[in-house]
């Protein structure tokens, strides 16, 4: 008996849902404006914008802000991620009338000199801003060389793994002939890396730093382009650490 009552209630509920769906379909089908008004986007909540103007983001989205059902999240996401400081954007629809947008902004990593242009870029080489205030970002490293911005993340990863201690000593990076890197360290020390096996070369460089006080010497260049060798160039005739000659 109990089972029959449960089945009866389920059938009644199903019938009510079916009738409601049919009624809503007929109402919205013959009154499309009612649907648009009911799901019209009335509130846009944007969080995570410290350097980005949220009103600029809303302006970019304004042509597509009709109603929540037809709003294309993927297209909007692509548009927002073209804005300079925006690294990633995630969009959530909250029915019936709200858009929630979460912004993750880029972190400035380097100043990229490209021909006559000066660009502020993040660690992935993504352009944040053209013609930045150099004085404001004077502590950032500079990057030069054709295609350097596309290879920046790779060399930073290699450095972070093989010789993390040298990262904060880098003043400038130069991508040479679209195939290898030069590192310009503090005290004007130049390190020439090879085309391949960069990881091992950086480990060798770390060993040199650990065994010798290179930055406190008159060594001005360490050439690691020949596998298994380090060619040293000094300012003067002999290597000197502080005031002590070797």
């Amino acid at each position: 008996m109990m089972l029959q009552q449960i089945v009866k209630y389920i059938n009644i509920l199903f019938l009510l849902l079916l009738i409601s769906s049919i009624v809503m379909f007929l109402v919205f089908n013959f009154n499309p404006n009612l649907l648009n008004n009911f799901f019209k986007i009335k509130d846009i909540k944007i969080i995570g914008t410290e350097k980005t103007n949220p009103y600029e983001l809303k302006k970019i989205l304004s042509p597509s802000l009709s109603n929540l059902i037809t709003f294309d999240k993927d297209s909007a996401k692509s548009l927002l991620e073209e804005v300079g400081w925006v690294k990633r954007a995630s969009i959530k629809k909250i029915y019936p009338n709200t858009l929630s947008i979460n912004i993750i902004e880029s972190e400035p990593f380097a100043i990229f000199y490209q021909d006559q242009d000066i660009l502020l870029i993040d660690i992935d080489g993504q352009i944040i801003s053209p013609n930045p205030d150099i004085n404001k970002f004077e502590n950032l490293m500079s990057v030069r060389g054709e295609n350097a911005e596309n290879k920046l993340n790779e060399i930073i990863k290699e450095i972070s793994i093989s010789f993390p201690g040298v990262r904060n000593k880098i003043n400038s990076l130069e991508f040479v002939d679209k195939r290898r890197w030069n590192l310009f360290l503090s005290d004007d020390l130049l390190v020439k890396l090879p085309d391949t096996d960069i990881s091992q070369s950086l480990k060798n460089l770390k060993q040199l730093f650990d065994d010798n006080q290179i930055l406190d010497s008159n060594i001005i260049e360490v050439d690691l382009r020949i596998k298994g060798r380090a060619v040293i160039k000094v300012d003067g005739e002999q290597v000197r650490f502080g005031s002590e000659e070797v």
Side-chain angles (χ1 to χ4, degrees):
M1 190 68 178
M2 181 66 72
L3 181 60
Q4 290 178 339
Q5 287 182 327
I6 293 174
V7 171
K8 180 181 177 181
Y9 290 139
I10 290 175
N11 288 334
I12 292 173
L13 181 60
F14 177 76
L15 182 61
L16 289 173
L17 288 173
L18 180 61
I19 293 172
S20 299
S21 299
I22 293 172
V23 171
M24 289 183 66
F25 173 77
L26 291 174
V27 169
F28 289 126
N29 186 55
F30 290 101
N31 297 277
N33 289 332
L34 183 62
L35 178 65
N36 289 334
N37 291 333
F38 188 74
F39 292 107
K40 184 177 181 180
I41 298 173
K42 297 179 180 179
D43 189 19
I44 303 175
K45 298 178 180 178
I46 302 177
I47 60 174
T49 52
E50 294 183 8
K51 304 178 183 69
T52 311
N53 187 338
Y55 297 103
E56 178 187 352
L57 302 184
K58 290 180 181 180
K59 184 177 179 180
I60 290 171
L61 296 179
S62 59
S64 58
L65 295 177
S66 53
N67 70 74
L68 211 58
I69 292 178
T70 60
F71 182 78
D72 188 340
K73 291 196 301 180
D74 292 335
S75 177
K77 172 181 168 68
S78 297
L79 287 173
L80 294 179
E81 289 178 351
E82 290 178 1
V83 178
W85 283 98
V86 178
K87 184 71 173 179
R88 284 188 295 277
S90 59
I91 303 173
K92 182 179 180 181
K93 296 180 181 180
I94 303 176
Y95 286 94
N97 309 109
T98 302
L99 272 180
S100 177
I101 302 174
N102 185 39
I103 299 295
I104 296 177
E105 295 182 321
S106 297
E107 289 293 331
F109 184 78
I111 301 294
F112 178 44
Y113 294 85
Q114 182 185 55
D115 298 326
Q116 302 301 315
D117 297 324
I118 301 176
L119 309 169
L120 180 66
I121 61 175
D122 66 12
I123 195 170
D124 295 317
Q126 180 177 321
I127 297 173
I128 298 174
S129 173
N131 301 314
D133 184 348
I134 300 298
N135 294 326
K136 187 176 179 180
F137 300 102
E138 61 183 355
N139 293 327
L140 298 182
M141 71 173 66
S142 61
V143 177
R144 290 178 170 82
E146 186 178 353
N147 204 36
E149 74 279 21
N150 296 322
K151 299 294 183 179
L152 179 61
N153 184 271
E154 294 177 16
I155 185 63
I156 294 302
K157 281 184 178 178
E158 291 279 10
I159 291 170
S160 297
I161 293 170
S162 302
F163 190 5
V166 81
R167 178 167 163 174
N168 293 331
K169 297 180 176 65
I170 299 174
N171 290 334
S172 178
L173 287 170
E174 179 186 21
F175 197 45
V176 182
D177 297 331
K178 296 190 290 186
R179 59 187 178 85
R180 67 168 198 84
W181 290 95
N182 283 340
L183 314 183
F184 294 87
L185 308 185
S186 52
D187 295 328
D188 298 321
L189 175 62
L190 168 61
V191 177
K192 295 182 177 180
L193 295 177
D195 302 6
T196 59
D197 204 9
I198 297 174
S199 177
Q200 185 57 51
S201 294
L202 287 167
K203 289 175 183 177
N204 294 342
L205 181 65
K206 182 179 184 303
Q207 190 65 46
L208 282 173
F209 270 72
D210 290 343
D211 294 343
N212 303 284
Q213 298 173 311
I214 288 181
L215 292 179
D216 190 34
S217 73
N218 62 336
I219 296 173
I220 58 174
E221 182 179 303
V222 179
D223 191 340
L224 300 169
R225 289 177 294 174
I226 301 175
K227 187 174 181 179
R229 292 183 60 188
V231 180
I232 305 296
K233 182 184 291 186
V234 300
D235 181 14
E237 296 181 357
Q238 292 181 293
V239 179
R240 185 177 65 254
F241 295 97
S243 59
E244 180 181 348
E245 290 190 349
V246 179

